[in-house]
Amino acid sequence: MAYVFFILFMLIRVHAWFKKEEMMKRLIAGNWKMNGTMSAAIKLAQGIVEAIQNDSKVLENNDFLVCPPFHHIVPVQAELSMAVSLGAQDCSPYEVGAYTGDVSAAMLKDVNCDYVILGHSERREYYVESNDLIRQKAAIAHENGLIAIICVGETEAQREAGEEQEVVGKQLAESLPEGATAQNTVIAYEPVWAIGTGKTATTDDIAAMHDFIRGQLKAKIDNADTLRILYGGSVKPSNAAEIFAVDNVNGALIGGASLKPEDFIGIATAG
Ligand code: 13P
């Protein structure tokens, strides 16, 4: 009798596992950073749409997102098909008013953005963005119906000192706002030393960190198994398959390789 229960239990577990795997498409996200002219951005968007049309099977396992510079968002949107979502690379922590140079979450929603990248290590480093500020931005992004892609990651010195989990754990604990859910939040793990350097973390390092992040999320968020955790840092078609094969990697946040349609879509088809 116990055997029958055990087998039934296992069948239910396996079924649930397959359902989860089947439900969670990868998110292939392009962070265009501060690159390109208006015409180059439009050409890039057209190239991405064309590459997807030429290989539409790629949509079975992948959702696509591009995050252009602010002023390219509207013209890029005019080129995108329904298959590619639109996001920004930052937003203001404030709702509206006298904040020179800022773009609000509501303004992004108004031009049909669904996502916003927050706390990228370049913003943490060059603009001294703190976890507190990132949490405020994420909260206002959520209030305005945007999905916040919250970036975390350690520097080379922190990894060498064996502090990577402590650093990422603190970033997660302090940058995630109260209302974060598996639906309105994506985490991007980007080791700072792997960004734009051609160096990627080993698959063992990625597995250990993504597993750690999943554990931290489970302690904080319902259904944390369905929250996407992206890897970022020198992802390209030639290393995408091994990265996507790692447990708890649910997509990629791509810089350099997202600026060429064949590489961006090639990353999705490789894995
Ligand atoms: P690269 O893919 O150029 O290393 O950049 C990664 C990144 O910072 C994405 O946000």
Side-chain angles (χ1 to χ4, degrees), residues 27-58:
L27 179 63
I28 308 296
N31 175 6
W32 293 1
K33 304 194 181 181
M34 194 176 70
N35 288 296
T37 58
M38 185 70 79
S39 63
I42 289 171
K43 230 175 120 197
L44 178 51
Q46 289 167 341
I48 289 169
V49 169
E50 205 182 303
I52 292 174
Q53 275 165 359
N54 290 341
D55 186 4
S56 53
K57 265 177 66 185
V58 76

Short mmCIF file of all heavy atoms in Angstrom, two decimals, residues 27-58:
data_model
loop_
_atom_site.label_atom_id
_atom_site.label_comp_id
_atom_site.label_asym_id
_atom_site.label_seq_id
_atom_site.Cartn_x
_atom_site.Cartn_y
_atom_site.Cartn_z
N LEU A 27 13.40 34.12 -20.82
CA LEU A 27 13.34 35.52 -21.23
C LEU A 27 14.69 35.91 -21.80
O LEU A 27 15.72 35.81 -21.12
CB LEU A 27 12.99 36.43 -20.03
CG LEU A 27 12.92 37.93 -20.37
CD1 LEU A 27 11.81 38.22 -21.38
CD2 LEU A 27 12.68 38.76 -19.10
N ILE A 28 14.69 36.30 -23.07
CA ILE A 28 15.91 36.71 -23.75
C ILE A 28 15.84 38.23 -23.85
O ILE A 28 15.05 38.77 -24.64
CB ILE A 28 16.01 36.07 -25.16
CG1 ILE A 28 15.82 34.54 -25.09
CG2 ILE A 28 17.33 36.44 -25.84
CD1 ILE A 28 16.89 33.80 -24.31
N ALA A 29 16.62 38.91 -23.00
CA ALA A 29 16.48 40.36 -22.86
C ALA A 29 17.73 41.08 -23.36
O ALA A 29 18.84 40.73 -22.97
CB ALA A 29 16.25 40.70 -21.38
N GLY A 30 17.51 42.07 -24.21
CA GLY A 30 18.62 42.85 -24.75
C GLY A 30 18.70 44.19 -24.03
O GLY A 30 17.73 44.95 -24.00
N ASN A 31 19.86 44.47 -23.45
CA ASN A 31 20.11 45.77 -22.83
C ASN A 31 21.02 46.53 -23.80
O ASN A 31 22.21 46.25 -23.87
CB ASN A 31 20.78 45.56 -21.46
CG ASN A 31 21.19 46.87 -20.81
OD1 ASN A 31 20.88 47.95 -21.32
ND2 ASN A 31 21.89 46.77 -19.69
N TRP A 32 20.42 47.46 -24.52
CA TRP A 32 21.18 48.14 -25.59
C TRP A 32 22.14 49.20 -25.02
O TRP A 32 22.93 49.78 -25.75
CB TRP A 32 20.23 48.78 -26.60
CG TRP A 32 19.44 47.79 -27.41
CD1 TRP A 32 19.50 46.41 -27.30
CD2 TRP A 32 18.51 48.06 -28.45
NE1 TRP A 32 18.64 45.83 -28.20
CE2 TRP A 32 18.02 46.82 -28.93
CE3 TRP A 32 18.01 49.23 -29.05
CZ2 TRP A 32 17.09 46.71 -29.97
CZ3 TRP A 32 17.07 49.13 -30.07
CH2 TRP A 32 16.62 47.89 -30.52
N LYS A 33 22.01 49.49 -23.74
CA LYS A 33 22.86 50.48 -23.06
C LYS A 33 22.87 51.80 -23.85
O LYS A 33 21.86 52.14 -24.47
CB LYS A 33 24.26 49.90 -22.84
CG LYS A 33 24.20 48.57 -22.06
CD LYS A 33 25.52 48.11 -21.52
CE LYS A 33 25.33 46.77 -20.79
NZ LYS A 33 26.55 46.25 -20.21
N MET A 34 23.97 52.54 -23.84
CA MET A 34 23.97 53.87 -24.48
C MET A 34 24.64 53.77 -25.85
O MET A 34 25.72 54.32 -26.08
CB MET A 34 24.70 54.88 -23.58
CG MET A 34 24.47 56.33 -23.96
SD MET A 34 25.27 57.47 -22.80
CE MET A 34 26.98 57.22 -23.14
N ASN A 35 24.00 53.01 -26.74
CA ASN A 35 24.60 52.75 -28.05
C ASN A 35 23.66 53.15 -29.17
O ASN A 35 22.45 52.99 -29.07
CB ASN A 35 24.90 51.25 -28.19
CG ASN A 35 26.07 50.82 -27.34
OD1 ASN A 35 27.20 51.26 -27.54
ND2 ASN A 35 25.80 49.98 -26.35
N GLY A 36 24.25 53.64 -30.25
CA GLY A 36 23.53 53.73 -31.51
C GLY A 36 22.78 55.02 -31.77
O GLY A 36 22.39 55.75 -30.86
N THR A 37 22.60 55.27 -33.07
CA THR A 37 21.78 56.40 -33.51
C THR A 37 20.33 55.93 -33.63
O THR A 37 20.05 54.73 -33.51
CB THR A 37 22.24 56.85 -34.91
OG1 THR A 37 22.11 55.71 -35.77
CG2 THR A 37 23.68 57.34 -34.91
N MET A 38 19.45 56.88 -33.89
CA MET A 38 18.03 56.53 -34.09
C MET A 38 17.88 55.53 -35.24
O MET A 38 17.19 54.51 -35.12
CB MET A 38 17.24 57.80 -34.39
CG MET A 38 15.76 57.59 -34.48
SD MET A 38 15.07 57.23 -32.87
CE MET A 38 15.01 58.86 -32.14
N SER A 39 18.56 55.81 -36.35
CA SER A 39 18.37 54.91 -37.50
C SER A 39 18.98 53.54 -37.21
O SER A 39 18.43 52.51 -37.63
CB SER A 39 18.94 55.52 -38.79
OG SER A 39 20.32 55.69 -38.65
N ALA A 40 20.07 53.49 -36.45
CA ALA A 40 20.65 52.18 -36.10
C ALA A 40 19.70 51.40 -35.19
O ALA A 40 19.55 50.17 -35.34
CB ALA A 40 22.00 52.38 -35.41
N ALA A 41 19.03 52.11 -34.28
CA ALA A 41 18.10 51.44 -33.36
C ALA A 41 16.92 50.85 -34.15
O ALA A 41 16.48 49.72 -33.90
CB ALA A 41 17.60 52.42 -32.31
N ILE A 42 16.42 51.62 -35.10
CA ILE A 42 15.29 51.16 -35.92
C ILE A 42 15.70 49.94 -36.74
O ILE A 42 14.98 48.94 -36.81
CB ILE A 42 14.76 52.31 -36.80
CG1 ILE A 42 14.06 53.34 -35.89
CG2 ILE A 42 13.83 51.81 -37.90
CD1 ILE A 42 13.68 54.63 -36.57
N LYS A 43 16.91 50.02 -37.32
CA LYS A 43 17.41 48.88 -38.12
C LYS A 43 17.59 47.63 -37.24
O LYS A 43 17.27 46.52 -37.67
CB LYS A 43 18.77 49.27 -38.73
CG LYS A 43 18.84 48.99 -40.21
CD LYS A 43 20.10 49.48 -40.81
CE LYS A 43 20.82 48.28 -41.42
NZ LYS A 43 22.21 48.50 -41.69
N LEU A 44 18.07 47.84 -36.06
CA LEU A 44 18.27 46.71 -35.14
C LEU A 44 16.92 46.05 -34.81
O LEU A 44 16.79 44.82 -34.84
CB LEU A 44 18.98 47.21 -33.87
CG LEU A 44 19.26 46.24 -32.73
CD1 LEU A 44 19.96 44.97 -33.22
CD2 LEU A 44 20.10 46.92 -31.66
N ALA A 45 15.93 46.88 -34.50
CA ALA A 45 14.59 46.34 -34.18
C ALA A 45 14.04 45.58 -35.38
O ALA A 45 13.50 44.46 -35.25
CB ALA A 45 13.65 47.48 -33.79
N GLN A 46 14.20 46.15 -36.58
CA GLN A 46 13.71 45.47 -37.79
C GLN A 46 14.42 44.13 -37.98
O GLN A 46 13.81 43.12 -38.33
CB GLN A 46 13.94 46.35 -39.03
CG GLN A 46 13.02 47.56 -39.07
CD GLN A 46 13.43 48.59 -40.11
OE1 GLN A 46 14.59 48.61 -40.57
NE2 GLN A 46 12.51 49.47 -40.46
N GLY A 47 15.73 44.14 -37.75
CA GLY A 47 16.52 42.92 -37.91
C GLY A 47 16.08 41.83 -36.95
O GLY A 47 16.02 40.64 -37.30
N ILE A 48 15.75 42.23 -35.71
CA ILE A 48 15.31 41.24 -34.71
C ILE A 48 13.96 40.63 -35.11
O ILE A 48 13.77 39.41 -35.09
CB ILE A 48 15.24 41.91 -33.31
CG1 ILE A 48 16.66 42.18 -32.81
CG2 ILE A 48 14.47 41.05 -32.31
CD1 ILE A 48 16.75 43.07 -31.58
N VAL A 49 13.04 41.50 -35.53
CA VAL A 49 11.72 41.01 -35.94
C VAL A 49 11.87 40.07 -37.14
O VAL A 49 11.25 38.98 -37.18
CB VAL A 49 10.78 42.20 -36.26
CG1 VAL A 49 9.50 41.73 -36.94
CG2 VAL A 49 10.47 42.97 -34.99
N GLU A 50 12.70 40.43 -38.08
CA GLU A 50 12.91 39.59 -39.27
C GLU A 50 13.53 38.24 -38.89
O GLU A 50 13.09 37.19 -39.36
CB GLU A 50 13.85 40.33 -40.22
CG GLU A 50 13.71 39.93 -41.66
CD GLU A 50 14.73 40.70 -42.49
OE1 GLU A 50 14.71 41.96 -42.43
OE2 GLU A 50 15.56 40.04 -43.14
N ALA A 51 14.52 38.27 -37.99
CA ALA A 51 15.17 37.02 -37.58
C ALA A 51 14.16 36.10 -36.88
O ALA A 51 14.21 34.87 -37.06
CB ALA A 51 16.35 37.31 -36.66
N ILE A 52 13.24 36.68 -36.11
CA ILE A 52 12.22 35.85 -35.44
C ILE A 52 11.25 35.29 -36.49
O ILE A 52 10.87 34.11 -36.45
CB ILE A 52 11.46 36.65 -34.35
CG1 ILE A 52 12.42 36.99 -33.21
CG2 ILE A 52 10.25 35.88 -33.84
CD1 ILE A 52 11.85 37.89 -32.14
N GLN A 53 10.87 36.13 -37.46
CA GLN A 53 9.95 35.65 -38.51
C GLN A 53 10.56 34.49 -39.29
O GLN A 53 9.87 33.55 -39.68
CB GLN A 53 9.61 36.79 -39.47
CG GLN A 53 8.47 37.65 -38.96
CD GLN A 53 8.36 38.97 -39.69
OE1 GLN A 53 9.15 39.28 -40.59
NE2 GLN A 53 7.39 39.77 -39.30
N ASN A 54 11.87 34.56 -39.50
CA ASN A 54 12.54 33.50 -40.27
C ASN A 54 12.67 32.20 -39.50
O ASN A 54 13.00 31.17 -40.07
CB ASN A 54 13.96 33.95 -40.68
CG ASN A 54 13.89 35.03 -41.73
OD1 ASN A 54 12.87 35.19 -42.39
ND2 ASN A 54 14.97 35.80 -41.86
N ASP A 55 12.46 32.27 -38.19
CA ASP A 55 12.63 31.06 -37.38
C ASP A 55 11.62 31.13 -36.23
O ASP A 55 11.98 31.18 -35.07
CB ASP A 55 14.08 31.03 -36.83
CG ASP A 55 14.38 29.75 -36.10
OD1 ASP A 55 13.51 28.85 -36.09
OD2 ASP A 55 15.47 29.64 -35.52
N SER A 56 10.33 31.13 -36.60
CA SER A 56 9.32 31.45 -35.58
C SER A 56 9.21 30.36 -34.51
O SER A 56 8.61 30.59 -33.45
CB SER A 56 7.97 31.75 -36.22
OG SER A 56 7.62 30.69 -37.05
N LYS A 57 9.82 29.19 -34.75
CA LYS A 57 9.81 28.14 -33.71
C LYS A 57 10.51 28.61 -32.43
O LYS A 57 10.28 28.09 -31.35
CB LYS A 57 10.51 26.88 -34.23
CG LYS A 57 9.49 25.89 -34.80
CD LYS A 57 10.13 24.68 -35.38
CE LYS A 57 10.82 23.84 -34.30
NZ LYS A 57 11.54 22.70 -34.91
N VAL A 58 11.37 29.62 -32.62
CA VAL A 58 12.12 30.13 -31.47
C VAL A 58 11.18 30.71 -30.39
O VAL A 58 11.53 30.79 -29.22
CB VAL A 58 13.16 31.19 -31.97
CG1 VAL A 58 12.51 32.51 -32.29
CG2 VAL A 58 14.30 31.35 -31.00
#
